[in-house]
Amino acid sequence: MLTVYTISHFVVDFASGWALYHGVAYSEQGWFCVVLYAFLAFAMQMPLGLCADRLNRNALCAACGCILVGSACLLPASPLTITAIAGVGNALFHLGGGIDVLNASQGKTGPLGIFVSTGALGIFYGCLLGHTAPHLACIVAGAAGLAAAAIAAGQYFTRRSWRSANAPLCFPKLSRRYLIAAICLFSVVILRSYLGFALDFSWKTTAPWGLVLLCALAAGKMGGGLLADRFGQLTVCLSTLSAAALFFLLSGFPWAGVLAVWLFNMTMPLTLGALALISPGCKGFAFGALTFGLFLGSLPHLLGCDSLPHTPITYAAAALLSLLLLWKGLKYESEQLNK
């Protein structure tokens, strides 16, 4: 199922990017639709995650998400309708797949890193082909339909029912230490999202560095989770973010910028998984709370009010601040898991 969900993640994000660029981006409502899509795809994962926790049908949520995103590629509808269908579909897929992967991971972060690694590649190529190859509607929608079928088949052969292995819905005790850890993890996600939009390397439009940078982002997410399972989350957090800060200072050189992005993204699966692991009775809600942070971090860029300087020093400071916040959140998670 991890393989199915990982490939489906690429397909769903590819189809979402394609639908937005083909049917929305160049309309009169394009800017509003992009903001609306970000809200539905990321912010709405928090309330929908609570429903998914309660429903206990994760594969069904993921399959329905695939179908909705595929439908958005075919419907001769208004840009707002396409945006709404693609956004909700994307949210449902990420929740269903994310909760299933978290359930099966048993405290490890490697599987979650593998699952999330393909999303950026899917969005990039979906947006690219949505602009240059609008005739691919049936192929893109068909791929999303096949992803839904693969999820359904995988669920049948592993469980023979749609029922998942979610814990009974309950919220953790809101102790002072839990709240501090949750706020730290939430802040890390906001900061990472903001920095992802703020990064402005003069060389990234020069071949082949743009593609190398994209691959580094995906490889960082995958490798970070696997390394954390081998060497420990705190060790990976300290080593990767401190090294990322150093390389951000040298990011005027392409090789240093690529290394900085690779290292900085290694902690993404650690962050996304940490809140769910300390909130076992509401993993979907916890996962969605952090994706809400992704939405908040993107708002300055989407609304055109990003006033902070985009300099290597700013990037390095953001990496060090992420280190401090994530260290606090992971320390609490480690203590809870060792009890």
Side-chain angles (χ1 to χ4, degrees), residues 86-281:
V88 173
N90 195 287
L92 286 175
F93 169 78
H94 282 81
L95 282 168
I99 300 171
D100 254 0
V101 171
L102 284 167
N103 285 343
S105 299
Q106 299 180 339
K108 294 185 179 298
T109 55
L112 185 60
I114 294 170
F115 170 65
V116 300
S117 65
T118 55
L121 295 171
I123 283 287
F124 175 81
Y125 285 109
C127 292
L128 180 66
L129 290 182
H131 175 60
T132 60
H135 57 282
L136 295 179
C138 292
I139 295 175
V140 177
L146 286 175
I151 292 170
Q155 180 70 9
Y156 174 77
F157 287 115
T158 55
R159 290 190 177 276
R160 297 187 180 274
S161 89
W162 286 108
R163 186 172 295 277
S164 302
N166 295 359
L169 178 62
C170 67
F171 290 94
K173 182 181 178 180
L174 299 181
S175 66
R176 177 176 174 274
R177 295 193 65 205
Y178 174 87
L179 289 173
I180 291 174
I183 291 170
C184 286
L185 293 169
F186 187 70
S187 301
V188 168
V189 173
I190 294 175
L191 189 59
R192 178 180 289 113
S193 176
Y194 172 80
L195 188 63
F197 283 98
L199 289 177
D200 186 19
F201 300 133
S202 60
W203 45 263
K204 71 179 183 180
T205 56
T206 305
W209 289 111
L211 180 59
V212 173
L213 191 68
L214 179 66
C215 292
L217 188 151
K221 296 174 184 178
M222 181 182 296
L226 295 172
L227 288 174
D229 291 339
R230 176 67 177 84
F231 298 105
Q233 295 189 24
L234 293 173
T235 300
V236 170
C237 170
L238 178 61
S239 58
T240 58
L241 289 177
S242 56
L246 175 62
F247 285 117
F248 272 132
L249 291 175
L250 303 171
S251 58
F253 300 100
W255 60 269
V258 168
L259 284 174
V261 169
W262 176 61
L263 290 162
F264 186 73
N265 279 278
M266 280 194 174
T267 56
M268 182 179 180
L270 281 64
T271 313
L272 288 177
L275 189 58
L277 288 171
I278 60 175
S279 311

